[in-house]
């Protein structure tokens, strides 16, 4: 890939951050479409209602740690069509649900028929007390892509709407500092990285809305020492992974450097753990029910077997179980510990 000068970068050529931002969130962007994300890819929320039930249990633990406040906030970041927040409200005990105030944060319009208790908004509320939960949000916060040229210099990758790429100017300033600290590239032509600085800032702003409670980010993730050498930028369309093209026809996603997000937020007590560990701590297990149940309660056995299968998918190594959870308590103990 040959470098392009600043002048040639005008017009059709843009950095991946601007191109993906327009493709995902512009007036005709992917995330403005009526079918929502579920029409193109499957998250833990869509895989099983057990996920929403586990998040509801987490909210109950936060409630207890807060001393059962009169108003308990639940903020669902990148709410899609409200699937998670709807499932959480349905799974809450009546006494907790009566105090819960639900906020769905999403750029797309409010879905028809959504529970009237859910406030639909484009930004998280300020000074919340409760749980802010971001499931597969940060991977869709657009970032610049850097690639090492033939001289060993990391340069910004420029892209056209049809997906054609060229190299632009050398990475500089705060972006170069981020790369040096969090994703240093070897001087080998073709090495790539996604510059996660916008995600650090987005997560810091979101977690900063908490007065007291817990902020959780769940996403495809990697950490220092295990960064992929050629980046992770990809796309999904109608359930299939495809070539990333910033034309609004597909989801554009890249794995998240959650360790950098945690450090940027600088809250004490933050920790990273895999989804399987987090869900196990919330009582979700993929263990099969005892075979004896099949003879005493056949219908119950079938239900328990189906539930175990769904739990196994949510916690599976090599799949959803490998997702990273960034857990950041604010003014409370770590309710996932023990």
């Amino acid at each position: 890939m040959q470098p392009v000068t600043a002048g040639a970068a005008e017009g059709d050529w843009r950095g991946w951050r601007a191109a993906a931002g327009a493709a995902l969130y512009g007036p005709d962007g992917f995330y403005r479409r009526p079918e929502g994300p579920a029409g193109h890819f499957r998250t833990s929320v869509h895989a099983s209602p057990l996920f929403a039930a586990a998040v509801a249990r987490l909210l109950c633990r936060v409630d207890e740690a807060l001393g059962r406040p009169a108003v308990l906030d639940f903020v669902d970041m990148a709410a899609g069509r409200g699937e998670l927040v709807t499932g959480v409200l349905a799974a809450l005990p009546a006494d907790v649900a009566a105090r819960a105030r639900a906020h769905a944060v999403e750029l797309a319009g409010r879905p028809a028929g959504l529970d009237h208790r859910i406030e639909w908004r484009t930004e998280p509320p300020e000074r919340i007390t409760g749980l802010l939960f971001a499931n597969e949000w940060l991977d869709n916060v657009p970032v610049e892509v850097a690639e090492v040229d033939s001289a060993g210099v990391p340069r910004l990758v420029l892209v056209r709407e049809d997906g054609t790429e060229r190299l632009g100017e050398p990475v500089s300033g705060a972006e170069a500092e981020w790369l040096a600290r969090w994703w240093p590239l070897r001087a080998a032509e073709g090495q790539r990285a996604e510059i996660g600085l916008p995600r650090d800032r987005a997560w810091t702003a979101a977690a900063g809305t908490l007065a007291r409670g817990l902020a959780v980010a769940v996403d495809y993730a990697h950490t220092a020492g295990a960064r992929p050498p050629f980046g992770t930028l990809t796309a999904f369309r109608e359930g299939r992974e495809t070539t990333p093209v910033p034309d609004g026809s597909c989801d554009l996603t890249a794995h998240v450097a959650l360790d950098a997000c945690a450090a940027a937020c600088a809250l004490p007590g933050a920790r990273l753990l895999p989804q399987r560990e987090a869900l196990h701590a919330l009582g979700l297990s993929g263990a099969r029910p005892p075979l004896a149940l099949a003879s005493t309660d056949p219908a119950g056995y079938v239900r328990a077997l189906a539930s175990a299968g769904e739990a196994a998918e949510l916690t599976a190594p090599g799949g959803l179980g490998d997702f990273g959870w960034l857990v950041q308590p604010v003014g409370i103990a770590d309710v996932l510990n023990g």
Side-chain angles (χ1 to χ4, degrees), residues 20 120 129 157 247 273 309:
W120 197 263
T129 300
V157 177
D247 61 359
L273 66 161

Side-chain angles (χ1 to χ4, degrees), residues 106-180:
E106 177 61 60
L107 292 179
R110 182 186 182 95
L114 190 71
D115 191 318
H116 71 277
R117 295 175 295 172
I118 300 171
E119 180 185 6
W120 197 263
R121 52 192 302 148
T122 58
E123 297 287 342
E126 293 290 339
R127 304 297 295 171
I128 67 167
T129 300
L131 173 63
L132 181 141
F133 199 88
N135 184 63
E136 295 195 43
W137 167 48
L138 290 174
D139 70 296
N140 290 126
V141 173
V143 293
E144 298 290 6
V145 177
E147 182 174 321
V148 177
D149 67 10
S150 58
V153 177
R155 293 179 176 268
L156 292 177
V157 177
L158 306 178
V159 64
R160 281 180 167 159
E161 192 173 288
D162 65 1
T164 305
E165 292 184 338
R166 294 185 73 175
L167 296 188
E169 296 295 325
V171 181
S172 61
E175 292 173 334
E177 293 173 6
W178 190 94
L179 272 184

